[in-house]
Amino acid sequence: MSDLTITAVTTKAERKAFVDLPFRLYEDDPAWVPPLKGEALGLITPEKNGWYSHAKAQLFLAREGGRVVGRISAHIDTLALTMPAEQGFGPGVGQWGLMEAEREEVFVALLAEAEEWLRSQGMTKALGPISQSIWEEPGLLVQGHDHAPTIMMGHAKPEYQGWIERAGYAVVKQLFTYELDITQEFPPIVKRIIKSGENNPRIVVREVDKRKFEEEAAIILSILNDAWSDNWGFVPLTPPEIKDVGVKLKPIVFNDLIRIAELDGRPVAFMITLPDLNEPLKPLNGSLLPFGWAKLLLWLRAPKVRTMRVPLMGVVKELQASRMASQLAFMMIEYIRRASVERYGATRGEIGWILEDNQGMRSIAETIDSRVNKVYNVYERGL
């Protein structure tokens, strides 16, 4: 430990070293999916990430003998500071994330540096890991290390859990993902609920129209901000972030995989499903060169995947306690299930993440015979 040094990241070369570290640490982990390095760099570059319009971050690298052996990000989201404290964030709550280290001593030193930076910014509590926005990769993987994460989900070494907990952090929230065999039809009770909805003239469940991308995105965002506003960890998406999400996701947006449910002509629910981009990305090892771009472009024209992921679903708040909410959810899930199997060759679905105390969504997931396949912990500690 005598020659361990921790320095703030200030240059492009250091940001590149920050991105490169996981490629070495996970090179023997068959479940790890290498991100595209250009995209990973964009996430930590303020000029390229709309999240920085309301947030600031300091990245740190740990070195021994000039060799990078760890990394961490300390960050503050000014919008999160304005959220109600009972929803997880609130005044004085800073975060850390993007944590990787060769061994526990390195992690402890990095964590101390991140905490000191948060204290210097007036923070009184640290929440983590959150990498970096709550809408990106929140939580530490603590169950499900044996299989690859789907698009926009994190992966981590199993030993990290012990390191964080021995550092004095306690679990504040668990996030679940559920998986299911989508080649199988749903139980009879679900079929009856769907049939009843189809016989209700007040209900229309439609595909989105990608030609009206911005208009459809605005409808979904409106429902999302209403449906999720009371959830733990909620921070509203800002226009710069929405623009970024649109650029990233538009190539994998397909009309039949995203549905909007209307009641009496008014949009009241939505479900977004994405083909698992991690499947074609994994063999590329983080680079689109020399031929990765061509392979990916070919895949995007007619994607065939094993897994479809549902990252977001929402029903307006006024309906959430009603039978209608689950009916709309089951209808959207079933229509997307059919399209996923028939048009994309998918056999597996993954829903999540879902908050541990979101009993409505957990009940829907369990009713369609899905099971928890990954668990993520979010930790907190006073500063």
Side-chain angles (χ1 to χ4, degrees):
M1 286 288 289
S2 59
D3 65 343
L4 179 68
T5 60
I6 297 175
T7 57
V9 171
T10 59
T11 68
K12 288 183 179 180
E14 289 169 335
R15 281 201 294 269
K16 182 179 181 299
F18 193 95
V19 166
D20 285 345
L21 177 63
F23 285 78
R24 177 166 58 82
L25 296 185
Y26 290 94
E27 62 182 349
D28 297 323
D29 185 344
W32 186 62
V33 179
L36 290 175
K37 288 187 177 182
E39 188 167 311
L41 277 169
L43 286 174
I44 60 171
T45 303
E47 306 82 56
K48 297 182 179 181
N49 185 347
W51 174 75
Y52 281 92
S53 65
H54 58 85
K56 57 183 174 179
Q58 181 60 65
L59 310 178
F60 296 94
L61 285 175
R63 292 183 177 88
E64 280 183 318
R67 179 171 174 265
V68 175
V69 293
R71 72 178 203 182
I72 199 168
S73 165
H75 44 273
I76 297 168
D77 185 328
T78 59
L79 278 182
L81 297 179
T82 68
M83 295 293 108
E86 62 271 18
Q87 288 181 225
F89 292 134
V93 179
Q95 298 111 53
W96 54 266
L98 299 175
M99 180 272 292
E100 302 287 356
E102 284 193 359
R103 63 182 192 278
E104 187 169 1
E105 294 86 350
V106 174
F107 167 69
V108 170
L110 280 164
L111 186 58
E113 198 76 26
E115 290 173 339
E116 181 55 37
W117 185 84
L118 291 173
R119 276 192 289 268
S120 75
Q121 303 294 313
M123 299 298 102
T124 57
K125 184 188 291 184
L127 209 66
I130 296 175
S131 304
Q132 290 174 289
S133 162
I134 191 70
W135 295 102
E136 289 168 11
E137 293 181 5
L140 176 81
L141 180 69
V142 296
Q143 178 183 319
H145 298 89
D146 59 337
H147 57 286
T150 55
I151 179 175
M152 299 167 65
M153 296 299 292
H155 189 66
K157 292 182 175 292
E159 54 264 36
Y160 288 177
Q161 180 179 4
W163 297 359
I164 292 172
E165 293 174 3
R166 282 192 289 274
Y169 279 79
V171 178
V172 64
K173 192 66 66 174
Q174 285 198 313
L175 317 173
F176 300 123
T177 64
Y178 285 78
E179 67 174 356
L180 70 157
D181 179 354
I182 59 173
T183 65
Q184 301 299 308
E185 292 191 351
F186 292 139
I189 187 172
V190 176
K191 290 183 179 180
R192 289 196 295 271
I193 292 171
I194 293 169
K195 189 66 175 175
S196 171
E198 290 173 337
N199 291 332
N200 186 341
R202 300 176 62 202
I203 297 174
V204 172
V205 176
R206 66 173 179 85
E207 298 180 0
V208 297
D209 185 346
K210 192 173 179 177
R211 295 170 302 177
K212 302 176 181 178
F213 188 83
E214 292 186 4
E215 183 181 325
E216 299 285 48
I219 291 171
I220 289 172
L221 184 66
S222 175
I223 299 171
L224 174 67
N225 282 338
D226 178 73
W228 283 47
S229 60
D230 293 336
N231 283 2
W232 183 92
F234 176 77
V235 178
L237 283 166
T238 62
E241 290 172 286
I242 295 164
K243 183 178 178 181
D244 286 349
V245 170
V247 170
K248 278 185 205 172
L249 296 186
K250 193 170 184 179
I252 53 171
V253 166
F254 297 92
N255 292 349
D256 51 355
L257 296 179
I258 301 180
R259 305 281 173 144
I260 293 174
E262 298 174 346
L263 182 65
D264 297 325
R266 180 171 69 100
V268 294
F270 75 91
M271 176 174 162
I272 295 176
T273 304
L274 302 173
D276 185 17
L277 188 62
N278 278 0
E279 292 178 24
L281 283 184
K282 189 170 183 177
L284 302 184
N285 198 34
S287 176
L288 290 176
L289 300 173
F291 303 115
W293 64 271
K295 293 176 182 177
L296 191 57
L297 188 61
L298 189 63
W299 181 87
L300 286 169
R301 287 178 179 170
K304 293 293 182 182
V305 290
R306 172 175 174 255
T307 300
M308 290 287 184
R309 182 186 170 214
V310 180
L312 289 173
M313 180 189 296
V315 180
V316 292
K317 207 179 301 183
E318 68 189 76
L319 295 178
Q320 285 177 4
S322 69
R323 182 177 179 274
M324 177 73 73
S326 58
Q327 185 169 50
L328 296 175
F330 287 137
M331 292 174 74
M332 292 186 292
I333 291 170
E334 169 61 6
Y335 298 161
I336 292 175
R337 182 195 72 82
R338 293 175 195 165
S340 298
V341 173
E342 294 168 7
R343 302 175 195 172
Y344 303 90
T347 58
R348 177 179 176 269
E350 185 175 281
I351 305 170
W353 46 264
I354 298 174
L355 292 166
E356 62 179 322
D357 50 3
N358 187 341
Q359 294 304 323
M361 272 307 305
R362 293 191 66 185
S363 176
I364 287 170
E366 289 159 8
T367 301
I368 58 175
D369 292 337
S370 57
R371 65 177 186 86
V372 173
N373 70 306
K374 287 183 183 287
V375 178
Y376 294 81
N377 285 353
V378 180
Y379 294 89
E380 69 174 4
R381 190 177 86 168
L383 295 174

